[in-house]
Amino acid sequence: MTDSKIIIALDYAQATPALLLARQLDPKRCKLKVGKELFTAAGPHLVEQLINLGFEVFLDLKFHDIPNTVAKACQAAASLGVWMLNVHASGGDRMMQAALEGVDKANQTQTPLLIAVTVLTSMDAMTLQSLGITRPLSEHVLALARLTQAAGLHGVVCSAQEAALLKSQLGPDFCLVTPGIRPHNAQQDDQSRIVTPSEALRLGAHYLVIGRPITQAADPTTALNAILQEI
Ligand code: C5P
């Protein structure tokens, strides 16, 4: 177990570079995130390998389906021994409650944290409007986060820019996981609403998801250490 607040996004197309990076890192200093691309290519075996290397793993598969299917998927994910997994809050309260029941059924000694995606940071007000959602984006995020909390989940994925609002409305214990993090000297890449690591924590984020500033660095360990130094 580690109390590291940094979750490194292993956005790779295959297991080999993901394992190469993991072997350079210290599981006491960071956690790892496996998303749809890597999981689809490398499967549960890779997740087990990362756990066996001592890492806490966030399995970022963002399930969104009928309650029964999501419950079974969450049970299977939790059975791998991951530290955290997620669903889409837009799936509704019945789906989220079913997800929680699925996680409990996995019967792990350490129950994984189950969080929900509110509104993807790639979506803007126009996208929401095109889906028939006319309230302001931050109101929609807050409503979905409230639904998530009421369903009994542990927290949400959100932009650091929404963290302060969510913390004030939902309390300090509701877990906020924020991507879109960039240290001062890092490239912005395709992220638009970026926040530095220390600012994200100040705004109330509990965990920071960081990908390219670490994975694409000439020396990922040095890049991670610089971020740990900053926070
Ligand atoms: O490389 P970078 O730091 O931009 O990676 C961010 C990670 O967080 C990626 O794995 C991306 O899929 C994920 N993510 C995100 N925005 C969200 C949810 C997840 O950037 N709203």
Side-chain angles (χ1 to χ4, degrees):
M1 285 294 276
T2 121
D3 63 353
S4 174
K5 298 185 176 314
I6 309 292
I7 304 173
I8 301 180
L10 293 179
D11 291 324
Y12 293 107
Q14 300 155 23
T16 309
L19 285 168
L20 212 68
L21 176 66
R23 292 199 177 103
Q24 291 175 51
L25 297 166
D26 178 353
K28 289 193 220 60
R29 298 173 76 81
C30 61
K31 304 178 199 296
L32 301 176
K33 179 172 91 69
V34 175
K36 286 186 169 123
E37 180 190 13
L38 183 57
F39 189 78
T40 304
H45 180 56
L46 172 73
V47 174
E48 284 162 351
Q49 283 178 292
L50 296 171
I51 293 170
N52 288 338
L53 286 173
F55 288 98
E56 289 177 313
V57 174
F58 171 18
L59 189 58
D60 178 21
L61 298 181
K62 302 185 181 73
F63 296 125
H64 188 173
D65 210 312
I66 59 170
N68 182 57
T69 301
V70 169
K72 298 275 169 58
C74 286
Q75 183 177 348
S79 300
L80 293 174
V82 299
W83 161 75
M84 176 181 273
L85 65 150
N86 62 357
V87 298
H88 268 284
S90 309
D93 55 355
R94 269 182 53 227
M95 189 205 80
M96 287 195 277
Q97 282 157 12
L100 207 51
E101 284 161 23
V103 166
D104 287 341
K105 273 199 194 133
N107 222 355
Q108 292 286 312
T109 39
Q110 192 74 39
T111 307
L113 295 172
L114 178 63
I115 63 170
V117 177
T118 53
V119 176
L120 292 169
T121 46
S122 55
M123 297 177 84
D124 57 15
M126 291 272 283
T127 320
L128 286 189
Q129 284 221 337
S130 72
L131 295 171
I133 299 160
T134 51
R135 59 186 167 189
L137 195 143
S138 60
E139 243 177 66
H140 190 55
V141 168
L142 180 58
L144 288 173
R146 279 196 205 286
L147 197 69
T148 303
Q149 192 176 46
L153 275 64
H154 305 102
V156 289
V157 182
C158 64
S159 150
Q161 296 176 353
E162 291 138 15
L165 170 73
L166 297 184
K167 187 180 175 185
S168 72
Q169 296 296 310
L170 305 172
D173 297 333
F174 193 59
C175 185
L176 305 177
V177 178
T178 63
I181 304 294
R182 288 292 177 274
H184 276 302
N185 55 356
Q187 284 184 30
Q188 189 166 338
D189 301 311
D190 57 353
Q191 295 283 9
S192 49
R193 297 185 298 149
I194 55 171
V195 173
T196 64
S198 50
E199 178 68 358
L201 293 176
R202 195 188 62 76
L203 290 167
H206 294 77
Y207 296 104
L208 316 179
V209 174
I210 307 179
R212 286 160 291 181
I214 294 174
T215 57
Q216 306 294 309
D219 181 354
T221 310
T222 306
L224 172 63
N225 287 342
I227 292 168
L228 291 170
Q229 196 81 37
E230 188 212 308
I231 61 175

